[in-house]
Amino acid sequence: MPEARKQVAVSGIQASGNLHIGNYIGAIKQFIELQNKYKMFVFVADLHAITVPQDPKKLEAQALDAVYTYLACGLDPEKTTIFVQSHVPQHAELGWILNTITPLGELERMTQFKEKKAGQNVLAGLLNYPTLMAADILLYQPDAVPVGEDQLQHVELARTLARKFNAKFGQTFKEPKALIQKEGARIMGLDDPTKKMSKSAAAASRIELLDGEAEIRRKIKIAVTDSGREIRFNPQMKPAISNLLAIYSNTAAISISELEKKYAGKTYSEFKSDLADALVKTLSPVQKKYKALAKSKESVLKILKNGADAAKDAAELKMHEVRQRVGLLHY
Ligand code: TRP
């Protein structure tokens, strides 16, 4: 009997700086779980990274760094196609074509664009970020697109563009579904639980995956808490403690309600000290693996080359169809 087609999932991550526990919980951890169920394509979105000015030297190192981190966290090149977006030129090619069917107003209305353009010298690439992302997705005909909540609007646009293209040129693209991790998909800053944990905020606002033990303990110790003393999950009333509970739950694989029970009647400082233990326990094996990988750059580049070759095969199949649908002259 022929094997049922394995479901496909696609996702990308920006190569814009040291990855943190928010990236781990919101994306990487989910990928590690999904790779057993789906045929996954995971790439470093370097073309997206340059929609804001980047230092070329650093950008290259950051892309590689992101790959070391993914591998160290357990992404398995035997199961998942891991590559760099710019190594598969079909992404940019389809991105361009999708731009030609995307109303300007739709892009101007995107929340991320509106946020990022505030006070900046806005580049056209930033406006067109979502069409490139739609291309990233549609090329591989995925069933699922695992993303953080903040990227939901972009996945919706990919669906809209798939429908639009299909209506205009004939059935070509499948409409993918976003896969949002519910509990704790959005990890907030340690210094301000109203802002998403981010690479661009103060260092003490996040636990980076490569932070040493002392650093982790220090940051957790100074993380803001809420008034009152109970350790309860209630993002409205207790945003800071709820965020720490989400981090704890996701790193130690203990449910939030179990944690609430465990810490009933305990102090914030006991809770924080155990949370720091859990983070150290999760991150130290990752850091060991990371260091080993960083010493064998050549073998990691080989993984990326193999990944790009496999991704190109899949992407070219779809692109060939797209060029014909659009009516681009071919041999
Ligand atoms: N924009 C995504 C982010 O910032 C990264 C990304 C780029 C992506 N292309 C993608 C995610 C395609 C999913 C699918 O997180």
Side-chain angles (χ1 to χ4, degrees):
M1 235 181 37
E3 222 181 294
R5 175 183 172 271
K6 216 175 179 184
Q7 298 233 315
V8 175
V10 177
S11 198
I13 186 152
Q14 292 230 24
S16 48
N18 294 344
L19 296 170
H20 52 69
I21 195 77
N23 303 120
Y24 177 73
I25 293 169
I28 304 177
K29 184 170 162 269
Q30 199 187 12
F31 295 167
I32 310 298
E33 290 158 7
L34 291 174
Q35 69 182 346
N36 296 317
K37 189 168 156 217
Y38 289 87
K39 171 164 179 42
M40 292 256 293
F41 293 87
V42 172
F43 59 90
V44 176
D46 57 348
L47 296 176
H48 277 114
I50 57 171
T51 57
V52 293
Q54 301 282 348
D55 175 342
K57 274 270 168 315
K58 281 196 195 141
L59 185 66
E60 216 179 306
Q62 280 164 6
L64 206 50
D65 198 69
V67 177
Y68 294 152
T69 307
Y70 271 86
L71 294 171
C73 289
L75 205 71
D76 180 354
E78 299 289 325
K79 296 179 186 161
T80 298
T81 303
I82 307 166
F83 62 103
V84 175
Q85 186 185 31
S86 64
H87 295 177
V88 182
Q90 286 83 354
H91 288 237
E93 186 182 2
L94 181 58
W96 176 258
I97 291 177
L98 293 178
N99 272 325
T100 67
I101 60 162
T102 307
L104 183 56
E106 293 239 7
L107 297 177
E108 286 170 335
R109 273 197 297 278
M110 290 281 143
T111 307
Q112 183 174 295
F113 174 70
K114 287 195 285 189
E115 279 171 10
K116 284 199 184 172
K117 82 167 189 190
Q120 266 194 51
N121 195 356
V122 190
L123 306 170
L126 196 61
L127 179 74
N128 295 307
Y129 182 114
T131 44
L132 177 60
M133 181 160 158
D136 297 338
I137 295 169
L138 298 179
L139 274 177
Y140 301 98
Q141 313 195 69
D143 302 279
V145 184
V147 284
E149 250 166 342
D150 64 317
Q151 295 298 311
L152 194 57
Q153 197 181 29
H154 292 160
V155 179
E156 289 298 329
L157 180 75
R159 292 168 60 89
T160 306
L161 292 179
R163 271 198 304 277
K164 207 168 194 155
F165 189 99
N166 292 344
K168 201 167 153 76
F169 299 110
Q171 182 61 38
T172 308
F173 294 122
K174 174 169 173 158
E175 274 183 60
K177 283 200 181 63
L179 203 66
I180 307 280
Q181 199 188 24
K182 289 285 172 301
E183 196 170 86
R186 200 169 147 89
I187 296 298
M188 313 307 280
L190 298 177
D191 58 340
D192 180 355
T194 65
K195 294 209 178 80
K196 190 181 165 186
M197 186 176 281
S198 140
K199 295 158 199 171
S200 46
S205 68
R206 62 187 178 273
I207 303 286
E208 293 189 359
L209 298 183
L210 298 182
D211 278 348
E213 176 167 355
E215 196 64 7
I216 292 174
R217 294 195 187 281
R218 186 184 69 84
K219 287 179 180 174
I220 293 298
K221 203 170 205 166
I222 61 172
V224 300
T225 50
D226 307 300
S227 57
R229 52 199 307 191
E230 330 81 302
I231 292 153
R232 244 186 327 113
F233 189 81
N234 181 338
Q236 273 75 45
M237 301 295 293
K238 306 208 94 177
I241 291 295
S242 300
N243 187 44
L244 295 179
L245 275 167
I247 295 173
Y248 198 157
S249 168
N250 278 289
T251 32
I254 308 175
S255 74
I256 286 184
S257 57
E258 273 177 74
L259 288 173
E260 286 176 329
K261 264 187 231 137
K262 181 168 175 192
Y263 290 99
K266 301 240 168 87
T267 62
Y268 282 170
S269 87
E270 285 170 284
F271 168 70
K272 278 183 161 185
S273 153
D274 289 356
L275 166 58
D277 286 346
L279 283 165
V280 170
K281 194 166 161 228
T282 302
L283 294 183
S284 54
V286 168
Q287 293 169 359
K288 247 169 100 182
K289 241 172 123 183
Y290 177 98
K291 282 187 195 124
L293 286 162
K295 279 193 202 129
S296 57
K297 180 176 165 187
E298 287 310 313
S299 67
V300 174
L301 290 177
K302 184 89 176 85
I303 290 173
L304 292 177
K305 164 106 177 47
N306 290 340
D309 287 346
K312 258 185 266 183
D313 286 347
E316 180 52 24
L317 220 57
K318 192 44 64 180
M319 248 348 270
H320 182 73
E321 188 187 340
V322 169
R323 290 183 209 109
Q324 287 192 332
R325 292 275 189 206
V326 175
L328 302 175
L329 181 63
H330 62 286
Y331 303 109

